[in-house]
Amino acid sequence: MKKLLIAAVFLVGLSFNAYGQQRPPAPPHPSKAQLTKSKASELDKRYRAEKRLIMNHPVATKKMKNEQLRALNLRYQNEKKLLRAAR
């Protein structure tokens, strides 16, 4: 009787151990709309940060800042077009 009780407790312990080692379910994959939305928000955030860096640069002249902003705006527009085309 004592051996049966020990064996039952041992088997229950092993089953709990095996159950605890199962992998969690895979997270759901984001939809294409969610991906494009997150990419667009990342692009906007990066654009604003770069613009802030250009505008607050202590040494750059007004002409240099305008040229850099023009290039930044052109690159931003091209990346936006690519995002819209990927939809």
Side-chain angles (χ1 to χ4, degrees):
M1 183 70 176
K2 195 173 186 180
K3 287 184 180 181
L4 180 64
L5 181 64
I6 292 173
V9 170
F10 182 71
L11 285 175
V12 169
L14 284 178
S15 66
F16 275 121
N17 192 20
Y19 182 75
Q21 291 180 0
Q22 287 181 349
R23 289 186 176 184
H29 294 291
S31 67
K32 193 169 184 178
Q34 289 172 332
L35 280 175
T36 55
K37 190 175 181 181
S38 68
K39 292 284 184 186
S41 67
E42 288 175 19
L43 180 63
D44 291 339
K45 189 189 302 183
R46 192 171 57 231
Y47 171 76
R48 285 191 300 270
E50 287 185 38
K51 186 175 179 180
R52 194 176 323 114
L53 285 174
I54 292 171
M55 295 305 291
N56 294 333
H57 195 277
V59 181
T61 63
K62 210 177 236 186
K63 186 176 178 183
M64 289 169 61
K65 287 180 183 181
N66 285 337
E67 289 173 1
Q68 288 178 342
L69 284 175
R70 195 173 299 120
L72 178 67
N73 288 336
L74 183 64
R75 193 178 72 212
Y76 176 71
Q77 289 171 358
N78 289 337
E79 289 180 6
K80 276 291 205 183
K81 283 180 189 175
L82 285 173
L83 265 178
R84 274 189 244 117
R87 285 185 190 170

